[in-house]
Amino acid sequence: MALIVGIQAGEFGVRITAADQPDLADIPGFYQSGAGGFWTAVVDGEIVGTIALRDCGGGLGALRKMFVAPAWRGREHGVGAALLAHLLAHARTVGLETVMLGTTAQFVGAHRFYEKNGFVEIAMDALPPSFPRMPLDTKFYRLTLGAAASLPE
């Protein structure tokens, strides 16, 4: 997807191509099975955001591919917040207990966003074996979806 690779390589200088991400070539097979999913935010026919959930088994989901076009970032647009709320509502509905994610050091704005939304940073050695770690990931986060947690609006 052009949005994802454009942000990774163009905006942040991450040395990665679509070919380096086979999950993008098989979104239904990689994300849309089990408790997983892949969602886009579309404005006037243009994809302005993406978010994915990989079912890792055992009540664990991996949040991946969360990207929002620069012009659509921020509280005033709410694209990132809406995508995350949708993913978390889905995760709760399908009975996931935990959502984890990995990200790179360069995505400082994303770190703040995840922390503001209840994700807690964890050490790499705290990742379960089923978590699909990407080679470029250097920071990891966990969100526990308790039964008492309310659904995002």
Side-chain angles (χ1 to χ4, degrees), residues 121-144:
E121 187 173 356
I122 60 170
M124 184 171 56
D125 61 7
L127 296 171
S130 64
F131 181 80
R133 184 174 174 263
M134 300 297 293
L136 295 174
D137 289 346
T138 56
K139 288 182 71 90
F140 302 92
Y141 289 91
R142 174 188 305 140
L143 178 67
T144 301

Side-chain angles (χ1 to χ4, degrees), residues 107-118 141:
F107 296 171
V108 176
H111 305 162
R112 286 191 303 268
F113 175 80
Y114 295 131
E115 291 165 5
K116 182 181 86 172
N117 283 283
Y141 289 91

Side-chain angles (χ1 to χ4, degrees), residues 4 10 68 81 101 140:
I4 293 170
V68 176
L101 66 95
F140 302 92

Side-chain angles (χ1 to χ4, degrees), residues 32-57:
Q32 296 172 318
S33 61
F38 189 97
W39 301 274
T40 58
V42 179
V43 177
D44 296 329
E46 178 183 350
I47 295 175
V48 299
T50 64
I51 194 166
L53 181 66
R54 169 89 169 160
D55 184 352
C56 300

Side-chain angles (χ1 to χ4, degrees), residues 1 6-7 10 26-27 35-36 43-44 52 60 62-63 70-71 112 120 127-128:
M1 300 189 88
I7 291 171
D26 184 20
I27 289 171
V43 177
D44 296 329
L60 172 64
L63 187 160
R112 286 191 303 268
V120 176
L127 296 171

